[in-house]
Amino acid sequence: MVEFPDGIRVHGRGLARPRPDGPEPDFGLYLGTSRLRRKHGGGLTWPHEWVNWPDFLLPTDPAAARRQIRALHERAKTETVEVACYGGAGRTGTVMACLATLSGVPAEDAVAWVREHYHERAVETPWQRRWVKTFAGRLD
């Protein structure tokens, strides 16, 4: 569980590993392709949404993904939320870094902040790092 500077808390994880013990989240945002959905999405019994996001790349619909990430940030103010991809580092780390920018972390520091507070390998590719830097400034 990561607590962001504005007080929201978000659980990040990898769907390839068993779900941790404890209560189910109120909502989940999951990042992957239809293949990941078929393989690991069957056990998600709580409300959730998927972002079509191929491994090591960016979302196929960046504007929709930005809206979903902003909505996750809002939900985290009053609900228990989680975000996950297959491994829990690249795509999940990218979303965590975007959430950090929404929580007040400067965009140029967000990747380092998430690597310190969430996962040392968060945000795996240069294009994911670039996307984080431009995330907060986009209004779509």
Side-chain angles (χ1 to χ4, degrees):
M1 183 73 70
V2 175
E3 184 165 344
F4 290 86
D6 65 352
I8 69 160
R9 296 173 56 147
V10 178
H11 182 75
R13 70 179 181 107
L15 292 171
R17 294 185 291 280
R19 199 178 80 69
D21 292 334
E24 292 181 347
D26 297 318
F27 181 80
L29 184 62
Y30 302 101
L31 319 165
T33 61
S34 58
R35 182 177 178 201
L36 183 65
R37 232 174 286 189
R38 283 191 306 274
K39 188 168 182 176
H40 293 285
L44 305 175
T45 58
W46 48 89
H48 62 277
E49 293 179 358
W50 283 88
V51 175
N52 189 27
W53 193 328
D55 202 8
F56 297 107
L57 298 174
L58 295 174
T60 58
D61 185 343
R66 282 189 288 274
R67 287 190 297 272
Q68 288 172 288
I69 294 166
R70 286 187 185 102
L72 183 71
H73 182 259
E74 285 302 308
R75 286 183 103 115
K77 293 176 181 177
T78 58
E79 299 176 44
T80 302
V81 300
E82 79 171 5
V83 61
C85 61
Y86 180 75
R91 293 167 285 185
T92 299
T94 301
V95 169
M96 294 291 245
C98 291
L99 292 169
T101 67
L102 294 173
S103 298
V105 175
E108 61 273 5
D109 300 332
V111 172
W113 190 94
V114 168
R115 287 179 175 170
E116 179 181 340
H117 293 91
Y118 169 63
H119 194 294
E120 65 186 15
R121 290 185 301 113
V123 194
E124 295 173 316
T125 67
W127 38 93
Q128 289 172 340
R129 288 190 292 277
R130 200 165 35 252
W131 200 66
V132 169
K133 285 185 179 180
T134 62
F135 175 83
R138 298 296 298 258
L139 299 175
D140 50 15

